[in-house]
Amino acid sequence: MNREGDPSLRILGIDPGLRVTGFGLIEKTGQRLAYLASGCIRTLREDSLPARLGTIHRGLHELVARHQPDQSAVEIIFVNVNPQSTLLLGQARGAAIAALVASGLDVAEYTALQVKQAVVGNGHADKLQVQHMVRRLLSLASDPSPDAADALACAIAHAHGGQGLGRWSGAGLHVRRGRLVVGK
């Protein structure tokens, strides 16, 4: 609660990646959004895959313990070019989700299209546009790093009323090739 008695909500956004996992923490009070923290969890390329996944898991678990978010939002990654990259990225995403769930958080999931639409107003916006809008929406002194900006954007999308993909399935919508579509 803030001074006026409005309930506040801390939202942790995650942009999963095997090399770099971005995180962004915001607080929503009424319609106001406030920046709390952001950054990246980096893994070492020379480490084994299990060690890298452990780094992501431990890093997020520590962040949740330190900042005590109320909700979390994770970007869904769609990579179809290289199956091996897609598999590795999926494992990194799984480590992130496992850390959040193990910390007692519900996880909302958003496609990049949903996040960009919520933050920029254009589902096909580029990274620079996302960085700039995150800076403006959160009144930051400078643009955050691309990975942190994507994570903050995911938290902002959640704060703007989204409840992840579960919200759409009841309405007969699902994701196909990174886009929301009606029917099967």
Side-chain angles (χ1 to χ4, degrees):
M1 295 253 183
N2 68 0
R3 284 184 243 166
E4 293 80 34
D6 291 331
S8 60
L9 183 67
R10 286 182 172 216
I11 303 168
L12 177 62
I14 304 297
D15 178 37
L18 186 58
R19 266 189 326 113
V20 180
T21 292
F23 67 87
L25 184 69
I26 64 171
E27 186 169 66
K28 179 182 180 183
T29 307
Q31 294 303 311
R32 185 178 162 275
L33 299 179
Y35 171 86
L36 297 178
S38 65
C40 297
I41 298 168
R42 298 181 188 281
T43 66
L44 300 174
R45 186 172 290 216
E46 61 271 9
D47 284 352
S48 68
L49 178 62
R52 293 171 84 179
L53 297 175
T55 298
I56 294 166
H57 191 279
R58 278 189 306 280
L60 288 175
H61 189 75
E62 289 169 11
L63 276 168
V64 170
R66 183 179 323 132
H67 294 289
Q68 297 295 304
D70 301 303
Q71 297 179 1
S72 67
V74 178
E75 187 172 317
I76 296 173
I77 308 297
F78 289 96
V79 180
N80 297 318
V81 177
N82 181 334
Q84 182 63 23
S85 295
T86 303
L87 181 62
L88 292 172
L89 193 53
Q91 291 180 61
R93 187 172 177 278
I97 291 172
L100 297 171
V101 171
S103 297
L105 290 173
D106 288 333
V107 177
E109 300 176 273
Y110 298 91
T111 66
L113 186 82
Q114 289 174 300
V115 171
K116 291 175 182 179
Q117 183 68 40
V119 174
V120 180
N122 175 4
H124 300 288
D126 63 32
K127 283 198 174 281
L128 290 175
Q129 290 173 302
V130 172
Q131 284 176 280
H132 181 71
M133 282 306 295
V134 165
R135 176 184 179 180
R136 290 188 57 155
L137 289 169
L138 298 176
S139 302
L140 302 176
S142 62
D143 286 349
S145 73
D147 296 296
D150 286 350
L152 287 164
C154 196
I156 292 167
H158 188 69
H160 283 170
Q163 295 302 314
L165 289 176
R167 171 178 167 217
W168 301 110
S169 62
L173 299 170
H174 69 282
V175 176
R176 183 185 304 140
R177 291 192 221 155
R179 297 175 190 253
L180 281 174
V181 294
V182 178
K184 296 184 179 196

